[in-house]
């Protein structure tokens, strides 16, 4: 590697460190000069928002862990002690509990943004696959975190979800025993879930660093889905995008604060304020809202193994998205047919979420089955076929041409974000 | 087409939000007016004190409140000497002493409310097999919260002709399954309020629900007050950020 220039930074201490460990050069390169397409809209802020949510979760989680007891006879009471007696414990816990939901909201918007603008396509396949892995690890972390307060939904949610693995032939039962640390959900289960819940966020952090590294190789996608052709198409990340993302983060924090301070238990289930009782099953065992679409798929299939495969398959499928979507055009702006199907998929996900919250019987079961079928149909049939058949609109020559002259094929489209005017 | 899409999307979104709220078991729980509702709402301390009186004189015969220290009542306006007086009205077990024996002593504000029964089995044995649930978190542990508690406490009535109520059970129109071990315990003028408030069943139910909301969430007032400040700060910050961002991006054209 080339020697770092001796006079790069004004501060001699920074310079001294940088010539030995070029961390400042790296930060300068990746966060000051990193070229962002100048036409990115506010949907591009959700990556930064998700990153900040991860930091908030790690920070609040650390302080909760200092007060929490991971023993079945103490867990529920120790959480209540945090709520009542620990200084600002109620604030830390409500930020952590609602933060999980807000983290998922940010990540879901981030994912749908990628779907809409084709951000998973070449050369961003590995970036996307890392994102799918982050999503999976996040789900595992959130699930184990929900078990820790040891309320009724904690216990029964843990029982239902860990039992899923028993559907697999031969390896199923040993896996479940290993997860439980015994022959039922009990103290060893709670203990290992606490240990893993503490570990996994740092795994997530590592994955996020890889995700960002992969992003910075090929650069960010943009609403037009075409590559920047030069400096006229981009702005330096700092200060342009830091300020824009910063504004978006503050707006997101306002919504977050509304939940934390004024409706902190809205996204939770009342049953989790009842201590876990292995002898009393709640009337309806429902997971947290962010798992509901997957829970609906699980219950839609009449066969246990089939349901489990459908649920895991629905996420595993996403990793193959870059090869299922055959279209060379990234952005939905130039894909009039796919755009309609994108919105149908989004509605399908919401309907599945609603069906997941309802009892799995009668018309809700039928709706869940249709929704599940459509989900797989979209990815396995529609996407490959559309890529071959769809007549896409002509792409603009460059980002700067299409946004600064105001003309071109996309200006009339309502999805084209007007450039901010002074 | 666009209007249609927006309509479908917003309908689906509304559906999704309603789904997250999780519908209760069919019985409609009417909303009551609460002093602690809304952004600026705070616990009605007089009502909560009356509610505490009902808890002490009526509910605590069967229901524990094991997670709540007596000192928590400072949050509804009891002074330190009043708290000491309330606490000393309870006997709590302490020890072992130098002779190795457990002994009873008068309660202190730092003690938690003593439970009426030694354990769940003793509670069931004295209550026809039913377990009176702990009240520490009752206002947060039921769908409908304090509205449910009010509806439940005022919901005892004669069973409809086609409903057979099992021996020892009572009919309640909002309880899931309608049959509950707890009898209709609140009676008109069953308690005498020191502040002269007339103790109707509705008044008592409302007061005790206010009290249980307070004990389930003793920092409710502090939480909302902090929330107002935090959100005001964030709104100002958002305005500044937006102005700075516009000014910066305007130089690009």
């Amino acid at each position: 590697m080339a020697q770092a220039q001796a006079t790069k930074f004004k501060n001699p201490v920074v310079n001294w460190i940088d010539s030995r460990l070029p961390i400042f050069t790296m930060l300068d390169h990746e966060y000051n000069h990193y070229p962002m397409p100048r036409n990115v809209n506010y949907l591009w802020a959700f990556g930064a928002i998700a990153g900040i949510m991860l930091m908030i979760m790690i920070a609040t989680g650390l302080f909760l862990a200092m007060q929490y007891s991971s023993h079945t006879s103490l867990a529920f009471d120790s959480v209540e002690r945090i709520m009542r007696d620990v200084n600002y414990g109620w604030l830390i816990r409500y930020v952590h509990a609602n933060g999980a939901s807000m983290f998922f909201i940010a990540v879901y918007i981030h994912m749908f943004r990628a779907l809409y603008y084709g951000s998973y396509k070449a050369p961003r396949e590995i970036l996307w696959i890392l994102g799918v892995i982050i999503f999976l690890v996040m789900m595992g972390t959130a699930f184990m975190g929900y078990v820790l307060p040891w309320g009724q939904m904690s216990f029964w949610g843990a029982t239902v979800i860990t039992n899923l693995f028993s559907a697999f032939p031969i390896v199923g039962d040993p896996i479940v025993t290993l997860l439980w640390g015994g022959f039922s959900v009990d103290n060893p289960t709670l203990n290992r879930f606490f240990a893993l819940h503490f570990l996994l966020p740092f795994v997530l952090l590592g994955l996020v660093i890889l995700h960002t590294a992969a992003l910075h190789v090929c650069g960010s996608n943009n609403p037009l889905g075409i590559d920047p052709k030069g400096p006229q198409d981009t702005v330096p990340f700092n200060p342009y995008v830091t300020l824009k993302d910063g504004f978006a983060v503050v707006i997101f924090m306002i919504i977050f604060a509304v939940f934390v301070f004024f409706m902190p238990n809205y996204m939770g289930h009342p049953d989790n304020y009842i201590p876990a009782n292995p002898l009393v099953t709640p009337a309806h065992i429902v997971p947290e809202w962010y798992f509901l679409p997957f829970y609906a798929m699980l219950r839609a299939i009449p066969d246990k193994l089939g349901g489990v495969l459908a649920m895991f398959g629905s996420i595993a499928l996403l990793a193959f998205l870059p090869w299922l979507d055959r279209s060379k055009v990234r952005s939905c702006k130039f894909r009039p047919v796919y755009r309609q199907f994108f919105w149908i998929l989004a509605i399908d996900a919401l309907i599945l979420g609603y069906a997941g919250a309802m009892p799995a019987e009668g018309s809700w079961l039928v709706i869940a089955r249709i929704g599940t079928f459509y989900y797989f149909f979209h990815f396995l049939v529609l996407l490959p076929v559309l890529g071959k058949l769809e007549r896409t609109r002509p792409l603009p020559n460059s980002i700067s041409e299409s946004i600064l002259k105001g003309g071109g094929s996309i200006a009339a489209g309502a999805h084209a974000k007007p450039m901010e005017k002074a | 087409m666009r209007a249609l899409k927006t309509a479908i999307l917003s309908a689906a979104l509304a559906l999704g939000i309603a789904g997250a709220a999780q519908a209760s078991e069919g019985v409609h729980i009417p909303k009551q007016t609460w002093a602690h509702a809304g952004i600026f709402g705070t616990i009605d301390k007089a009502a909560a004190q009356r509610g505490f009186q009902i808890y002490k004189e009526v509910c605590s015969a069967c229901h524990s409140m094991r997670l709540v220290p007596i000192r928590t009542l400072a949050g509804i306006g009891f002074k330190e000497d009043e708290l000491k007086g309330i606490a000393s009205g309870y006997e709590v077990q302490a020890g072992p002493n130098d002779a190795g024996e457990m002994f009873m002593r008068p309660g202190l504000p730092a003690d938690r409310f003593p439970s009426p029964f030694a354990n769940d089995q003793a509670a069931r044995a004295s209550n026809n097999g039913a377990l009176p649930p702990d009240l520490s978190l009752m206002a947060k542990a039921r769908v409908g919260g304090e509205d449910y508690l009010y509806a439940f406490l005022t919901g005892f009535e004669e069973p409809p002709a086609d409903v057979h109520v099992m021996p020892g059970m009572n009919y309640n129109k909002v309880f899931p399954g309608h049959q509950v071990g707890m009898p209709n315990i609140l009676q008109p003028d069953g308690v005498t309020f020191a502040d002269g408030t007339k103790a109707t069943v509705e008044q008592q139910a409302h007061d005790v629900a206010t009290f249980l909301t307070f004990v389930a969430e003793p920092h409710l007032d502090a939480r909302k007050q902090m929330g107002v400040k935090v959100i005001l700060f964030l709104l100002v910050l958002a305005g500044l950020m937006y102005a700075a961002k516009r000014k910066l991006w305007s130089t690009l054209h």
Side-chain angles (χ1 to χ4, degrees), chain A residues 38 40 42 76-77 80-81 83-85 88 90-91 93-94 235 239-244 246-247 250-251 253-254 257-258 260-266 268-271 273-275 283-284 286-287 289 292 339-340 343 346-347 350-351 354 357-358 364 404 414-415 419-422, chain B residues 1-2 5 8-9 12-23 25 38-40 66-69 71-72 112 124 136-137 140-144 214-220 222-228 230-231 234-235 237-239 241-242 244-246 248-253:
Chain A
R38 59 191 295 168
V40 293
Y42 276 108
F76 188 90
D77 290 8
E80 270 310 306
R81 197 186 143 267
M83 291 297 288
R84 291 163 191 274
D85 294 346
Y88 295 104
W90 58 269
L91 177 63
R93 173 164 177 257
Y94 276 155
V235 289
Y240 289 94
V241 185
T242 35
L243 254 186
K244 191 173 178 174
F247 170 64
V250 174
I251 296 294
M253 289 301 139
I254 292 174
V258 167
V260 168
F261 292 106
F262 298 108
M263 43 208 303
N265 295 306
Y266 182 75
H269 196 291
D271 276 13
Y273 281 111
I274 304 170
H284 298 296
V286 280
W289 68 266
L292 288 175
R339 190 165 77 196
Q340 307 296 331
W343 286 110
I347 292 167
L350 289 175
I351 291 173
Y354 192 80
M358 294 290 121
W364 284 114
L404 292 181
H415 280 287
M419 194 66 188
E420 280 80 5
K421 294 271 158 26
Chain B
M1 181 63 213
R2 185 156 308 284
K5 190 155 67 187
I8 292 173
L9 201 71
L13 205 70
L15 224 75
I17 288 166
Q22 269 125 17
E25 296 295 296
I39 295 172
F40 300 105
R66 64 181 187 88
L67 297 168
V68 184
R71 62 178 153 76
T72 308
R112 283 152 203 248
R124 283 188 192 278
S136 314
L137 286 161
K140 292 200 284 190
R142 294 292 180 274
V143 177
F214 167 74
V215 292
E217 191 81 12
H219 299 292
L220 185 143
R223 164 159 66 75
K224 288 188 176 176
Q225 282 155 14
M226 185 190 282
V228 170
V230 167
I231 288 175
L234 286 175
L235 284 173
L237 181 63
M241 294 285 282
Y242 188 64
K245 184 255 161 195
R246 268 178 80 99
L248 176 76
W249 280 73
S250 71
T251 59
L252 282 177
H253 297 274

Side-chain angles (χ1 to χ4, degrees), chain A residues 66-372:
Chain A
M66 291 177 188
Q67 304 286 350
Y68 171 77
S69 299
S70 63
H71 189 282
T72 51
S73 64
L74 298 170
F76 188 90
D77 290 8
S78 74
V79 171
E80 270 310 306
R81 197 186 143 267
I82 291 170
M83 291 297 288
R84 291 163 191 274
D85 294 346
V86 174
N87 291 332
Y88 295 104
W90 58 269
L91 177 63
I92 298 170
R93 173 164 177 257
Y94 276 155
V95 166
H96 197 76
N98 287 282
S101 286
M102 298 307 286
F103 194 5
F104 270 95
I105 289 174
V107 165
Y108 278 134
I109 295 175
H110 189 62
M111 289 168 75
F112 272 104
R113 199 269 348 256
L115 284 180
Y116 189 85
Y117 294 110
S119 301
Y120 47 85
K121 291 185 192 181
R124 298 189 179 84
E125 297 96 327
I126 290 186
L127 172 63
W128 169 258
I129 290 170
L130 280 167
V132 174
I133 297 171
I134 288 173
F135 180 53
L136 265 177
V137 175
M138 228 181 115
M139 291 174 100
T141 313
F143 161 66
M144 289 190 239
Y146 193 59
V147 175
L148 302 186
W150 210 242
Q152 273 289 67
M153 276 301 158
S154 298
F155 179 86
W156 290 100
T159 304
V160 169
I161 302 296
T162 49
N163 257 314
L164 293 182
F165 292 92
S166 70
F168 294 111
I170 304 166
V171 293
D173 286 327
I175 290 178
V176 176
T177 308
L178 205 63
L179 281 172
W180 286 344
F183 301 99
S184 66
V185 175
D186 207 335
N187 195 48
T189 324
L190 180 62
N191 255 312
R192 64 191 52 198
F193 276 21
F194 180 49
L196 290 172
H197 184 71
F198 205 104
L199 168 74
L200 287 181
F202 297 97
V203 174
L204 267 180
L205 186 64
L207 286 166
V208 168
I209 291 170
L210 289 181
H211 190 64
T212 316
L215 171 72
H216 284 212
V217 172
C218 44
S220 300
N221 190 23
N222 64 79
L224 294 174
I226 56 175
D227 294 324
K229 293 204 164 63
Q232 74 279 5
D233 288 346
T234 62
V235 289
F237 190 85
N238 191 36
Y240 289 94
V241 185
T242 35
L243 254 186
K244 191 173 178 174
D245 281 0
F247 170 64
V249 167
V250 174
I251 296 294
F252 192 80
M253 289 301 139
I254 292 174
I255 300 165
F256 186 11
V258 167
F259 279 107
V260 168
F261 292 106
F262 298 108
M263 43 208 303
N265 295 306
Y266 182 75
M267 292 187 278
H269 196 291
D271 276 13
N272 230 25
Y273 281 111
I274 304 170
N277 185 347
L279 301 176
V280 179
T281 316
H284 298 296
I285 302 173
V286 280
E288 291 275 79
W289 68 266
Y290 36 80
F291 293 137
L292 288 175
F294 304 100
Y295 194 55
M297 291 193 207
L298 170 76
R299 300 189 303 178
I301 313 282
D303 172 66
K304 187 177 177 186
L305 180 60
V308 172
L309 288 177
M311 187 178 75
F312 288 118
S314 66
I315 300 165
L317 189 64
L318 295 175
F320 299 96
L321 192 55
W323 297 278
L324 288 169
D325 185 350
R326 311 293 299 175
S327 177
K328 290 270 180 288
V329 175
R330 290 193 192 114
S331 174
C332 259
K333 273 184 185 173
F334 307 105
R335 301 188 61 188
V337 184
Y338 171 67
R339 190 165 77 196
Q340 307 296 331
F341 286 113
F342 168 86
W343 286 110
I344 295 175
L345 179 74
I347 292 167
D348 185 50
L350 289 175
I351 291 173
L352 275 174
Y354 192 80
M358 294 290 121
E361 56 202 24
S363 53
W364 284 114
L365 189 58
V366 178
I367 290 170
R369 284 182 179 158
I370 297 170
T372 305

Side-chain angles (χ1 to χ4, degrees), chain B residues 155-169:
Chain B
F156 289 92
E157 55 184 35
E158 284 302 309
D162 58 334
V163 173
H164 173 69
V165 178
M166 288 188 293
M169 300 295 268

